[in-house]
């Protein structure tokens, strides 16, 4: 018996194995790129000020 099952009386339902590896896509890269662009603009403006 697994420790989680002993404590809670049910099997652990983790997200590992719920999805096929082909379905996973890296998300947030566009958001990260936009955020870095905004940071660079702010830094440039601070340098000029």
């Amino acid at each position: 018996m697994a420790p989680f099952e002993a404590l809670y009386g049910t099997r652990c339902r983790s997200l590992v194995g719920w999805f096929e590896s082909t379905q996973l896509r890296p998300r947030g890269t566009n958001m990260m790129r936009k955020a870095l662009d905004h940071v660079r603009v702010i830094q440039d403006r601070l340098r000029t000020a």
Side-chain angles (χ1 to χ4, degrees):
M1 180 180 287
F4 187 90
E5 190 175 349
L7 284 173
Y8 300 107
T10 61
R11 296 189 66 188
C12 178
R13 294 178 43 172
S14 67
L15 296 176
V16 176
W18 281 11
F19 306 102
E20 295 292 325
S21 62
T22 58
Q23 292 178 349
L24 295 177
R25 293 184 204 154
R27 295 186 180 182
T29 55
N30 287 340
M31 290 175 55
M32 185 66 112
R33 188 174 299 130
K34 287 180 183 178
L36 288 174
D37 289 341
H38 287 299
V39 167
R40 287 186 191 118
V41 168
I42 292 169
Q43 287 175 342
D44 290 340
R45 290 181 182 171
L46 284 172
R47 283 187 196 119
T48 58

